[in-house]
Amino acid sequence: ADILIDTRDQCSRGYYRVGVVFREYASLNATDDYDATQIFNTSGGINQIYTLSREGKSMTTNVIHPSTRSLPLYFEPNNESQEVELEAYRLQSLSAVSMVTLEDRKLRTETSLLNNPVYRFTSDPNDNIDRFVLHFTRGTVNIEDEESTTVISMPTIKAA
C-alpha cells in the first residue's frame, strides 16, 4: 500500500488498519481485483476504520486512480468514549501525490499527514462514521523547453 493508516485506542489497545494504493490501472467506477474487503469485528469493543468502494463495499485496501482528489475514511467508534490515535505510514514513498491531508468533519480541522502523521482525537460512540476524509494534492509539474533553459512551473492543484 502507498498509505497505511492505523487506529489505536487506549482502552482495548487493539488497532485496525486501512491501506490506500494509487495505480493507473485502478478503475474509476468499480471495485478492482486488487481491492480487499473489510472484515468487521462485531463485538463492539474496538474502533474500526475503512473506506468504501464505489459500489458501497467496505474496504480494508482500496486501489484508487492517481487522479482521485479525496477519499472518505469511515471510522466506527467502539462502545465508549476514548482517546484514539490515527497514524499514517509510508507517506515518504508517495509519488502520485505531494500532500495528504486528513479532514476531521466533526472538529472542522485539516491536518497534513506528511507533517503530522499521528492525529489524536476523542471518539464517542455517537460519532458519525463518515467523520474523516483524506484529501490528496498533486504536486507541482515542471516543463522544460528543449530549445531553452526556461522552466515553466504549473501551480499545485489543491484537492477539493
Side-chain angles (χ1 to χ4, degrees), residues 35-118:
D35 295 326
T37 304
Q38 178 76 353
I39 299 172
F40 287 99
N41 176 336
T42 57
S43 70
I46 190 168
N47 296 303
Q48 301 180 87
I49 192 168
Y50 57 95
T51 63
L52 289 180
S53 69
R54 296 222 184 236
E55 296 87 13
K57 293 180 185 176
S58 302
M59 310 303 290
T60 189
T61 302
N62 201 341
V63 179
I64 60 176
H65 195 270
S67 65
T68 303
R69 293 187 178 188
S70 63
L71 182 67
L73 193 60
Y74 295 89
F75 177 80
E76 290 193 22
N78 77 11
N79 48 16
E80 58 186 271
S81 294
Q82 61 184 295
E83 294 296 314
V84 178
E85 284 187 357
L86 187 148
E87 185 168 3
Y89 298 92
R90 303 182 76 176
L91 298 170
Q92 293 76 15
S93 64
L94 286 175
S95 59
V97 296
S98 63
M99 181 63 67
V100 179
T101 305
L102 176 71
E103 176 186 358
D104 184 333
R105 291 179 170 176
K106 179 180 179 178
L107 299 179
R108 294 187 168 105
T109 61
E110 289 190 2
T111 303
S112 165
L113 292 177
L114 292 175
N115 297 330
N116 302 300
V118 178

